[in-house]
Amino acid sequence: MLGVNVIESFDSFLARLSSQASSTDAIARGVAIGLYRGTKGDGPEHTSDKHILTMGSKHPSRFECHRVSYVKQPGSLSLVPAGMCPGMRAQTEFDLLVCALDSTLVSALDSELECRPEGELRLQTNFQDPAAQQLMTLLIADANEGYTTERLYTESLTQALAVRMLFLGRSTKPQTNNRGTSRLPGHVLRRIVERMQCFSCDLSLQALANESGYSRVHFVRMFRAATGYSPHSYLLNLRLERARELLSNPALSLIDIALDCDFSSHSHMSRLFHKSVGFTPSAYRRSLRT
């Protein structure tokens, strides 16, 4: 994640953010997110090859776009499609949460939608959308956490935000499927779960979708319909259950258990274990002796 910067121009910040989204250092393939603090007169002067989604942070600020002045409140969103220069200029100091999404990733997800919104993405300024706001908030929090082993969670957030952006950028409401989403067939679900139980395997969203034979968008919906959980939540439960089993072996250290269950550290496992079970791993292990 890129942090708050008070010297760098907005154009330079966007260039770095866009470059990061294309690199292997991205928090998930095709996405980067960061906070930017700008001054009066600042604004983008060049186009980006990434779709840029911004959200107001901390304090109200005033911008001008095509000679129209408006106040951007905290939580207010703006969307600048790839290849477009919006002509925005800040009239006050401002703080923005900025997300860069790779256009190839977004186009691929667009092709996977059942009810695709029509038309091209359009410039959208100063609008509200609670779902996108929540996803961006979760994504920046995830980036700040820095747990690379939670890549499936980050990819799920990225996919949801990209799909949401496709509808927002075309001013189209997602259609509701009244028939409900089909479940993954039983034999496919068993194959997916078997793969998930191999924590050293490639458990990216794309890999799991490939294993299922469905697109990423359909896989996530069908998996949730079959299990009641998102792929990430289901995988996390498998890892935590494995940790509980290993904690019964006093010969294994907590660090070894964390690594075996694909947690990035002992503290990472402890935080999630306590949130799920109500005890720290150490306390849970002591309880097994009583």
Side-chain angles (χ1 to χ4, degrees):
M1 185 204 72
L2 298 178
V4 175
N5 194 295
V6 296
I7 301 175
E8 188 177 24
S9 71
F10 194 40
D11 263 343
S12 177
F13 172 81
L14 286 180
R16 284 205 300 126
L17 199 69
S18 297
S19 177
Q20 187 181 11
S22 301
S23 74
T24 56
D25 295 329
I27 56 173
R29 186 176 66 87
V31 64
I33 192 167
L35 290 166
Y36 180 80
R37 178 172 298 155
T39 58
K40 182 179 178 180
D42 201 357
E45 297 181 356
H46 301 93
T47 62
S48 172
D49 62 348
K50 303 293 186 293
H51 300 299
I52 305 298
L53 193 60
T54 70
M55 183 169 74
S57 175
K58 295 185 179 180
H59 308 292
S61 52
R62 182 173 290 277
F63 287 83
E64 183 181 78
C65 181
H66 300 304
R67 299 183 179 180
V68 177
S69 180
Y70 63 91
V71 175
K72 190 177 184 71
Q73 298 290 345
S76 179
L77 301 162
S78 292
L79 168 62
V80 182
M84 179 178 294
C85 188
M88 293 178 182
R89 193 65 52 194
Q91 296 179 314
T92 61
E93 293 184 350
F94 63 95
D95 294 275
L96 290 178
L97 177 57
V98 185
C99 182
L101 289 159
D102 186 79
S103 54
T104 302
L105 170 65
V106 174
S107 295
L109 292 172
D110 187 19
S111 68
E112 296 175 10
L113 296 176
E114 290 182 351
C115 301
R116 298 175 60 190
E118 297 180 356
E120 298 295 325
L121 288 175
R122 295 177 296 168
L123 173 68
Q124 306 278 347
T125 61
N126 209 30
F127 65 94
Q128 299 288 331
D129 184 74
Q133 292 163 349
Q134 178 69 5
L135 288 167
M136 289 188 70
T137 300
L138 292 173
L139 198 56
I140 190 66
D142 178 60
N144 286 331
E145 290 279 1
Y147 293 126
T148 56
T149 54
E150 300 302 319
R151 182 61 61 92
L152 183 58
Y153 173 66
T154 311
E155 289 179 337
S156 299
L157 290 178
T158 299
Q159 175 172 301
L161 181 61
V163 170
R164 190 71 187 174
M165 185 190 70
L166 284 168
F167 286 95
L168 293 172
R170 293 161 176 163
S171 300
T172 305
K173 292 183 179 180
Q175 294 186 11
T176 301
N177 186 353
N178 295 325
R179 297 174 298 174
T181 301
S182 299
R183 300 182 178 189
L184 278 178
H187 69 283
V188 175
L189 179 60
R190 286 191 293 272
R191 192 166 67 239
I192 295 296
V193 172
E194 286 178 3
R195 185 185 183 101
M196 285 181 165
Q197 290 170 334
C198 175
F199 302 142
S200 61
C201 293
D202 180 0
L203 299 178
S204 65
L205 192 56
Q206 184 66 70
L208 293 175
N210 290 344
E211 186 74 29
S212 73
Y214 296 95
S215 70
R216 287 165 295 180
V217 171
H218 291 128
F219 166 70
V220 170
R221 292 175 179 171
M222 296 175 75
F223 186 92
R224 184 184 291 275
T227 66
Y229 294 93
S230 67
H232 166 259
S233 295
Y234 195 94
L235 175 60
L236 179 58
N237 287 337
L238 289 176
R239 291 160 59 199
L240 290 172
E241 185 58 35
R242 176 62 176 162
R244 292 177 68 165
E245 293 175 0
L246 296 178
L247 284 168
S248 63
N249 184 350
L252 294 174
S253 70
L254 295 180
I255 294 177
D256 288 338
I257 293 174
L259 293 176
D260 186 89
C261 297
D262 199 35
F263 294 104
S264 59
S265 64
H266 167 216
S267 61
H268 181 207
M269 179 181 73
S270 295
R271 181 178 67 84
L272 294 175
F273 193 94
H274 183 271
K275 184 178 180 180
S276 174
V277 180
F279 298 92
T280 64
S282 298
Y284 180 80
R285 172 171 271 177
R286 288 194 298 269
S287 72
L288 297 177
R289 302 171 187 163
T290 60

